[in-house]
Amino acid sequence: QVQLVQSGAEVKKPGASVKVSCKASGYTFTSYGISWVRQAPGQGLEWMGWISAYNGNTNYAQKLQGRVTMTTDTSTSTAYMELRSLRSDDTAVYYCARDLGVGELFDIWGQGTMVTVSS
Amino acid sequence: DIQMTQSPSSLSASVGDRVTITCRASQSISSYLNWYQQKPGKAPKLLIYAASSLQSGVPSRFSGSGSGTDFTLTISSLQPEDFATYYCQQSYSTPGTFGQGTRLEIK
């Protein structure tokens, strides 16, 4: 079946970096984009950015520009999201989602990866 | 960025009730409006896209309507598994902003 499986929980210190993976299966990886959405504890959903799995083009949320990098490895159908210079307010569950390419429309989601930033 | 405002923020209802959740956009988004359901500790699930199209596999008791700036999600007869948080999201322009969520609780 179509699914996205993410890497496990991470605990990082302020100023460090984190890289979360998202492995796709059950569909042609390069036919869709991948968006990343995060959710701080008890809060709503925040779109972080998008990457085309076809050609690697990216579009990042303005507030994260310069701190986030999204990449893909088409040989393993895996997307990656790296966030640098972590702060306590980056503590959140990070989701990858298959983006249908009609604006940001997400039909398949990963299970989420908890990233905790704490000294 | 387009602001999405949902009302109410929380709602108590009983099994079998008809429930309506409203979402308002800060500018016209045509029909580029999606609804997601999220249960505690789980990823969101797409219910409705393009304002009124039911995602495959979603029960027909869910329906969506609206265009421009005002939209609604209706659950015709609440089932126990429907108690969750619901988010609207616009896909008219980047970033695809979400509403703050409506928590649907059992009365």
Side-chain angles (χ1 to χ4, degrees):
Chain A
Q1 74 278 25
V2 177
Q3 61 177 353
L4 299 172
V5 177
Q6 299 182 223
S7 50
E10 303 262 13
V11 179
K12 297 292 183 181
K13 293 192 182 302
S17 299
V18 69
K19 191 170 186 177
V20 179
S21 68
C22 169
K23 184 172 177 60
S25 61
Y27 73 95
T28 301
F29 182 63
T30 52
S31 294
Y32 299 87
I34 295 286
S35 274
W36 291 86
V37 176
R38 68 180 180 179
Q39 185 171 38
Q43 302 301 308
L45 301 164
E46 178 188 17
W47 178 80
M48 301 177 64
W50 164 90
I51 182 166
S52 166
Y54 174 71
N55 59 16
N57 287 350
T58 55
N59 187 8
Y60 301 139
Q62 190 163 7
K63 70 177 286 188
L64 296 174
Q65 289 272 2
R67 288 208 299 139
V68 68
T69 301
M70 296 175 188
T71 58
T72 59
D73 181 344
T74 56
S75 69
T76 60
S77 299
T78 303
Y80 298 91
M81 185 284 299
E82 181 180 33
L83 189 60
R84 299 177 293 279
S85 302
L86 289 168
R87 309 186 290 246
S88 58
D89 62 356
D90 291 317
T91 294
V93 176
Y94 288 75
Y95 295 102
C96 61
R98 188 173 78 167
D99 191 323
L100 294 179
V102 184
E104 281 99 41
L105 173 57
F106 317 124
D107 69 333
I108 304 294
W109 294 66
Q111 82 278 19
T113 296
M114 181 71 211
V115 175
T116 303
V117 183
S118 173
S119 55
Chain B
D1 297 359
I2 297 175
Q3 304 304 311
M4 307 300 294
T5 304
Q6 290 181 232
S7 61
S9 295
S10 63
L11 174 61
S12 293
S14 302
V15 173
D17 284 353
R18 180 183 180 91
V19 166
T20 297
I21 297 169
T22 297
C23 179
R24 175 165 288 175
S26 60
Q27 67 182 73
S28 177
I29 58 170
S30 185
S31 294
Y32 291 91
L33 191 283
N34 314 307
W35 290 97
Y36 298 87
Q37 176 195 65
Q38 187 178 33
K39 296 182 179 180
K42 300 295 187 183
K45 172 187 174 182
L46 179 63
L47 298 177
I48 302 280
Y49 63 95
S52 60
S53 295
L54 195 66
Q55 175 68 353
S56 176
V58 174
S60 59
R61 62 181 180 272
F62 291 93
S63 64
S65 65
S67 66
T69 60
D70 294 313
F71 302 87
T72 59
L73 172 70
T74 299
I75 310 172
S76 60
S77 177
L78 272 174
Q79 298 303 300
E81 60 268 28
D82 299 337
F83 292 93
T85 299
Y86 293 84
Y87 292 94
C88 64
Q89 180 231 1
Q90 63 84 15
S91 50
Y92 179 80
S93 68
T94 298
T97 42
F98 293 86
Q100 81 279 15
T102 295
R103 185 175 178 183
L104 179 53
E105 301 174 318
I106 301 173
K107 184 183 286 184

